């Protein structure tokens, strides 16, 4: 194993403490191996210019460009000097500014016609993009013939950089560690590597950092993408294999039980999709290994009904079930809708309860002591077949009589440790059903949830109404916003209700300032300078202005749980016309009479969040209306994003758009946070075929040799990817 230690060596031994510190703090690079896997973002060729027209604001960039002109200006009555250099690339212009004594060297080294590599933070001055006091390296004619020849035709790697560590400094650091690439352990089994004609890992690392040709880059990237996909898929395949070996109590359907009594009460028939998904879940529950299934579906596709029928099946088979919700509002909402759907079947042990009834209890952190004691007692005695709660369910005090199924709503809101804690409360591992309302493209599901079997509900039940979505450009066309509030009044006049959603609570809350996805891309106009709109401010303005006379109330996360529940109950009962809220209404809130949702500062929300929020309306027989209000200019990327949301109701299509627009590294979102595999080379949407092929190969390898005894190099790569803690993180991450 000595040969591994070369790549595990701390960077400070090789590069010196100052450089190593910046790399660790700003780029997350700690070892020689980390630096070797810090790949160039792109490559520049001599004669090829960076697109200056696409520079992001407020970000550190590296550009290769030509000096168009250079002039020294004086200010402060001749006492101060400023050097302004204009760079060009045919697509745009960029100004460099140097002040004071710092002007002489660049003035001499960067005459018009010369080229250089420049790095700094992009800002705007007098409506022009500029870099102030950039660091630079002259390239070309001033360097003497030998240097020009040396540079000619060479590919210059441009690395993801940071303040204090420009791309060319990273290039020098990589040069220092590149000889160690020869000692990289190759994780791909030889037969796989030869069968697919891959270059070796040391050669791929060499070619990705110092390519001679574009073909070198392609070969290296292809190989490195495979490594990432394959090692991750092996980890997930081993997880699935290990889960398949665990014992669980089979909980098959029972005739004439609670489920049959419930089905007899349903006023509608299940959609084809619900029937198909139910069959998959019931088949899993009937086996003696724990089910691990992801149920993903469109907003309003009836996931909760499918999950409830699975829960009733387990109760029929003598087990208990727990539904874990991310917030108290949602837990209370689920408890209300489940008890309403079940009617007298939820009255177990109570007067008026039906013959097959079970008890449905709620357990949240804010319950009174007496109610809490009773709920805990109902769980430990087995009196309660169904418990619905928040993370309060996983406290040590909570004991189950026989936990058979855990249903997790909106998995991305729960840490893996929390889910594990709940699963460990069963005598044997309980079955697990994870529900998500954020549709995920197949390859993302395979990469993030590769150890879960996936069921998809993409059909809406009959009776769901269409939702019309429109972008309201408040800055460009203020009369559109006035019309939006008229539309809300019209809906209320028809007897319906509306939501207004804002990004902040207000009241000078001490919220950390979030950088919006739009911020870097938009050219810092007014919309960026003001803080995001706040619930408390907007509610007051609406109640005294365009919505005066309507019953307007607020809902946000800083309210007391009882107050939140009281507001939701009044809204559900039709006693509130307009609910001004934060994203606490994003998931699961179900008020069929609400027909309009107005989302303020819509550009500050993600695509999937907007889709979720839109899903709060159109839940009854009346058509829904979603208005996306923004101050962003028409040509901005944020407006394009909102246009995409308005143009389609297909959540799977939207999640694809969302992923394609996000930066590399964000693709796996929170689901992978904590896993060092944060994919550096693999783009989940682009590289669908690689992921699918890697999964097949991984399943075959693990099927033959689950402990990977014949593949010590692959084991080493897995250990580097997943120490024990991270492997557990993947457990249901």
């Amino acid at each position: 194993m000595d040969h591994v230690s070369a790549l595990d060596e701390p960077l400070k031994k090789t590069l010196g403490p100052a450089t190593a510190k910046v790399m660790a703090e700003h780029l997350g690079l700690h070892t020689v191996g980390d630096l070797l896997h810090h790949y160039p973002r792109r490559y520049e060729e001599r004669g090829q210019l960076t697109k200056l027209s696409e520079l992001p604001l407020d970000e550190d960039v590296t550009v290769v460009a030509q000096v168009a002109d250079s002039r020294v200006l004086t200010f402060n009555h001749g006492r101060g000097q400023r050097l302004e250099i204009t760079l060009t690339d045919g697509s745009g212009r960029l100004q460099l500014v140097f002040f004071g004594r710092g002007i002489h060297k660049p003035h001499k080294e960067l005459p018009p016609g010369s080229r250089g590599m420049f790095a700094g933070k992009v800002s705007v001055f007098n409506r022009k993009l500029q870099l102030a006091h950039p660091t630079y390296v002259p390239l070309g004619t001033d360097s003497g013939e030998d240097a020009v020849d040396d540079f000619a035709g060479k590919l210059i790697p441009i690395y993801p950089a940071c303040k204090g560590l420009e791309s060319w400094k990273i290039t020098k650091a990589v040069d220092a560690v590149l000889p160690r690439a020869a000692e990289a352990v190759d994780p791909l089994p030889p037969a796989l590597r030869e069968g697919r004609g891959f270059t070796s890992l040391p050669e791929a690392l060499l070619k990705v950092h110092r390519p001679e040709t574009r073909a070198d880059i392609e070969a290296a990237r292809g190989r490195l993408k495979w490594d990432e996909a394959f090692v991750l898929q092996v980890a997930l395949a081993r997880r699935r294999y290990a889960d398949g070996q665990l014992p669980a109590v089979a909980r098959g359907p029972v005739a004439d039980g609670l489920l049959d009594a419930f089905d007899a009460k349903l006023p509608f028939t299940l959609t084809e999709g619900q029937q198909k998904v139910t069959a998959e879940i019931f088949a899993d529950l009937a086996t003696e290994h724990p089910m691990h299934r992801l149920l993903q579906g469109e907003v309003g596709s009836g996931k909760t009904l499918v999950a409830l029928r699975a829960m009733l099946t387990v109760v029929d088979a003598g087990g208990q079930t727990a539904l874990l919700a991310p917030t108290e509002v949602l837990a209370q909402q689920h408890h209300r809708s489940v008890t309403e759907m079940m009617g007298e079947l939820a009255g177990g042990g109570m007067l008026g309860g039906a013959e097959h009834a079970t008890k449905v209890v709620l357990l949240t952190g804010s319950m009174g002591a007496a109610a809490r004691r009773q709920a805990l007692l109902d769980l430990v005695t087995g009196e309660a077949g169904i418990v619905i709660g928040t993370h309060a369910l996983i406290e040590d005090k909570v004991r189950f009589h026989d936990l058979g199924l855990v249903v997790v709503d909106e998995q991305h809101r729960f840490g893996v440790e929390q889910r594990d804690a709940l699963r460990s409360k069963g005598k044997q591992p309980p079955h697990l059903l994870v529900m998500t309302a954020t549709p995920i493209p197949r390859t993302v599901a395979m990469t993030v949830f590769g150890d879960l079997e996936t069921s998809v509900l993409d059909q809406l039940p009959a009776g769901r109404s269409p939702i019309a979505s429109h972008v309201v450009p408040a800055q460009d066309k203020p009369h559109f916003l006035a019309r939006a509030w008229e539309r809300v009044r019209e809906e209320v006049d028809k007897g319906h209700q509306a939501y207004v959603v804002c990004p902040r609570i207000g009241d000078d809350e001490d919220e950390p300032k979030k950088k919006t996805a739009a911020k870097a891309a938009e050219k810092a106009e007014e919309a960026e300078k003001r803080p995001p709109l706040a619930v408390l401010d907007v509610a007051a303005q609406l109640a005294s202005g365009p919505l005066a006379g309507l019953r307007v109330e607020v809902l946000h996360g800083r309210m007391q749980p009882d107050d939140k529940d009281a507001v939701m109950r009044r809204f559900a009962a039709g006693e509130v016309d307009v609910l001004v809220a934060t994203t606490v209404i994003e998931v699961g809130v179900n008020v069929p009479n609400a027909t309009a949702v107005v989302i303020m500062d819509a550009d500050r929300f993600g695509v999937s969040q907007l889709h979720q929020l839109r899903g709060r309306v159109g839940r009854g027989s009346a058509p829904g209306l979603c208005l996306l209000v923004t101050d962003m200019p028409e040509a901005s990327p944020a407006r394009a994003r909102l246009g995409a949301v308005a143009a389609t109701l297909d959540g799977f299509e939207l999640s694809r758009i969302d992923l394609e627009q996000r930066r590399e590294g964000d693709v796996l979102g929170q689901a992978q946070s904590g896993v060092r595999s944060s994919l550096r080379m693999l783009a989940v949407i682009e590289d669908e075929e690689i992921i699918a092929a890697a999964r097949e190969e991984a399943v075959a390898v693990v099927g033959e040799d689950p402990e990977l005894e014949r593949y010590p190099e692959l084991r080493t790569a897995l250990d580097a990817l997943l120490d024990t803690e991270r492997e557990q993180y993947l457990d249901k991450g």
Side-chain angles (χ1 to χ4, degrees):
M1 294 293 276
D2 290 341
H3 60 294
V4 182
S5 58
L7 298 197
D8 286 340
E9 191 173 283
L11 283 171
K12 59 184 173 206
K13 282 181 79 171
T14 312
L15 304 178
T19 305
K21 187 174 183 227
V22 178
M23 285 196 167
E25 285 176 6
H26 295 285
L27 298 172
L29 308 176
H30 303 276
T31 65
V32 168
D34 290 345
L35 181 52
L36 285 174
H37 289 293
H38 184 71
Y39 308 127
R41 181 178 281 159
R42 55 183 165 61
Y43 304 84
E44 292 294 354
E45 286 180 69
R46 182 144 201 243
Q48 176 195 332
L49 294 164
T50 313
K51 274 201 161 181
L52 296 181
S53 57
E54 293 175 6
L55 291 178
L57 263 184
D58 285 337
E59 288 203 17
D60 289 293
V61 299
T62 302
V63 299
V64 175
Q66 187 160 354
V67 176
D69 59 59
S70 163
R71 59 191 176 280
V72 175
L73 305 170
T74 57
F75 59 94
N76 205 3
H77 305 297
R79 288 197 293 273
Q81 283 190 311
R82 178 170 85 240
L83 170 65
E84 286 184 0
I85 293 176
T86 307
L87 302 182
T88 181
D89 72 343
S91 80
R93 295 167 89 78
L94 174 67
Q95 197 162 32
L96 310 182
V97 191
F98 300 88
F99 295 99
R101 291 184 187 158
I103 73 170
H104 304 299
K105 189 165 178 272
H107 193 214
K108 186 174 150 214
E109 291 182 339
L110 299 169
S114 64
R115 294 164 48 77
M117 186 149 51
F118 306 88
K121 185 173 264 195
V122 183
S123 59
V124 170
F125 183 71
N126 278 346
R127 303 190 77 80
K128 287 183 185 166
L129 291 180
Q130 73 167 24
L131 301 182
H133 276 281
T135 46
Y136 65 90
V137 174
L139 301 172
T141 51
D142 292 327
S143 317
E145 279 308 306
D146 292 347
V148 176
D149 291 343
D150 185 40
F151 177 61
K154 261 205 176 162
L155 291 159
I156 311 165
I158 305 291
Y159 288 93
C162 63
K163 190 176 168 65
L165 203 62
E166 297 84 5
S167 176
W168 53 85
K169 287 187 183 165
I170 296 174
T171 301
K172 281 187 173 167
V174 170
D175 283 339
V177 300
L178 206 49
R180 311 277 183 87
E183 298 170 56
V185 177
D186 201 325
L188 295 191
L192 192 162
R193 193 170 68 235
E194 286 151 24
R196 292 188 174 265
F198 287 132
T199 177
S200 72
L201 180 57
E203 196 180 335
L205 288 170
L206 204 60
K207 281 181 171 173
V208 82
H209 288 292
R210 299 296 172 263
E212 298 285 327
T213 62
R214 290 272 166 198
D216 282 354
I217 299 170
E218 285 314 300
R221 287 176 65 86
R223 164 65 217 252
L224 295 167
K225 282 182 176 192
W226 247 90
D227 280 17
E228 287 183 3
F230 181 71
V231 175
L232 184 58
Q233 291 298 346
V234 167
L236 294 167
R238 290 186 74 207
R239 203 75 238 154
R240 280 197 305 279
Y241 181 86
D243 285 340
Q245 308 305 305
L246 290 172
V249 179
R251 314 273 183 179
V254 173
D256 299 326
L258 192 52
L259 179 66
D260 286 350
F262 175 76
D263 284 349
K265 283 166 53 73
L266 282 179
F268 51 80
T269 53
L270 299 181
T271 65
E272 240 176 84
Q274 285 173 322
Q275 288 172 3
K276 176 176 149 284
V277 167
T278 297
E280 291 169 353
I281 292 171
F282 283 7
D284 282 0
L285 289 173
T287 65
E288 293 182 352
H289 301 293
M291 166 173 82
H292 293 98
R293 191 167 279 279
L294 173 71
L295 171 57
Q296 59 163 333
E298 262 313 346
V299 176
S301 57
K303 292 183 298 296
T304 312
L305 177 64
V306 168
L308 176 56
R309 293 184 73 245
M311 291 162 86
L312 297 176
T313 303
V314 171
V315 175
D316 275 342
Q320 289 171 292
T321 64
L323 170 58
L324 198 54
T327 64
E328 294 214 347
V329 166
L330 199 49
Q332 285 157 340
Q333 175 90 23
H334 273 314
H335 183 253
R336 248 197 320 278
S337 59
V338 165
T339 47
E340 279 166 15
M341 278 198 271
M342 288 177 65
E344 73 278 10
L345 297 174
M350 292 188 269
L351 215 58
E355 180 195 347
H356 294 293
T358 188
K359 207 167 187 178
V360 179
V361 303
L362 177 68
L363 189 63
T364 64
S366 64
M367 285 170 74
R372 189 177 171 73
R373 256 199 315 276
Q374 184 58 53
L376 292 172
L377 188 65
D378 289 338
L379 287 184
V380 78
T381 59
E383 186 84 9
I386 296 176
V387 57
I388 296 167
T390 55
H391 53 270
L393 278 177
I394 44 194
E395 289 168 9
D396 288 344
K397 289 184 213 125
V398 181
R399 294 272 179 274
F400 289 85
H401 177 64
D402 179 13
L403 181 60
L405 169 67
V406 175
V407 179
V408 178
D409 190 9
E410 283 306 299
Q411 79 75 210
H412 63 271
R413 291 158 184 259
F414 280 103
V416 161
E417 300 78 15
Q418 293 169 306
R419 284 202 299 275
D420 276 352
L422 189 53
R423 282 174 59 195
S424 67
K425 290 183 180 293
K427 291 171 185 167
Q428 286 192 323
H431 299 282
L432 177 76
L433 181 64
V434 174
M435 296 196 294
T436 176
T438 308
I440 311 167
R442 179 173 156 271
T443 41
V444 182
M446 272 168 47
T447 310
V448 184
F449 304 103
D451 52 345
L452 293 174
E453 298 299 329
T454 304
S455 294
V456 177
L457 272 176
D458 47 12
Q459 204 184 357
L460 291 187
R464 287 298 300 244
S465 303
I467 304 170
S469 304
H470 304 284
V471 178
V472 178
Q475 191 87 340
D476 306 354
K477 299 176 179 168
H479 60 287
F480 275 38
L481 184 57
R483 176 70 189 121
W485 301 127
E486 282 172 21
R487 283 292 289 112
V488 169
R489 291 196 86 99
E490 286 165 17
E491 289 301 310
V492 173
D493 289 344
K494 289 181 199 163
H496 298 307
Q497 293 158 278
Y499 299 100
V500 177
V501 182
C502 304
R504 274 172 71 239
I505 297 171
D507 197 18
D508 299 318
E509 77 239 56
D510 187 28
E511 288 192 322
K513 284 190 179 168
K514 292 182 183 172
K515 275 194 178 176
T516 65
K519 182 156 186 172
E522 312 331 32
K523 304 288 184 248
E525 295 296 334
E526 284 310 303
E528 292 300 335
K529 287 176 187 163
R530 66 164 173 76
L533 292 170
V535 166
L536 300 176
D537 305 339
V538 169
Q541 288 160 12
L542 292 177
S544 61
L547 302 185
L550 301 187
R551 297 167 298 175
V552 177
E553 291 207 27
V554 301
L555 180 70
H556 57 75
R558 284 214 321 275
M559 290 164 64
Q560 289 302 315
D562 288 351
D563 296 342
K564 282 193 277 200
D565 195 40
V567 171
M568 273 315 300
R569 278 179 190 278
R570 286 200 296 278
F571 189 67
E575 295 161 19
V576 174
D577 297 319
V578 179
L579 188 61
V580 184
T582 55
T583 53
V584 291
I585 64 149
E586 178 187 343
V587 177
V589 171
N590 182 25
V591 179
N593 192 43
T595 53
V597 57
V598 182
I599 303 173
M600 308 302 291
D601 279 347
D603 48 275
R604 296 179 190 254
F605 297 99
V607 168
S608 61
Q609 224 176 4
L610 292 169
H611 185 56
Q612 286 292 342
L613 291 165
R614 169 168 61 187
R616 299 309 103 214
V617 299
R619 301 177 81 85
S621 53
L625 174 68
C626 172
L627 300 174
L628 305 166
V629 180
T630 178
D631 279 354
M632 285 299 160
E634 194 164 358
S636 63
R639 273 284 282 281
R641 220 171 55 239
L642 296 180
V645 174
T648 177
L649 290 171
D650 181 341
F652 287 91
E653 177 58 27
L654 282 175
S655 63
R656 256 191 113 80
I657 292 168
D658 191 21
L659 285 167
E660 280 164 357
Q661 287 182 347
R662 281 200 228 171
R663 299 226 170 135
E664 250 341 286
D666 281 353
V667 164
L668 300 188
Q670 293 149 305
Q672 284 291 61
S673 60
V675 178
R676 194 164 38 198
S677 73
S678 58
L679 304 179
R680 295 182 173 105
M681 191 62 92
L682 199 67
V684 177
I685 288 287
E686 245 172 69
D687 299 320
E688 291 188 74
E689 288 173 13
I690 293 175
I691 292 167
R695 179 169 176 157
E696 272 179 38
E697 296 275 16
V699 168
V701 165
V702 171
E704 281 174 27
D705 183 3
E707 293 305 310
L708 306 180
E709 284 167 0
R710 278 173 285 161
Y711 305 108
E713 296 84 2
L714 180 53
R715 279 209 73 109
T716 302
L718 268 185
D719 293 341
L721 170 72
L722 306 167
D723 49 33
T724 316
E725 191 183 323
R726 291 191 173 92
E727 185 144 2
Q728 283 166 357
Y729 190 92
L730 262 183
D731 187 5
K732 282 296 149 281

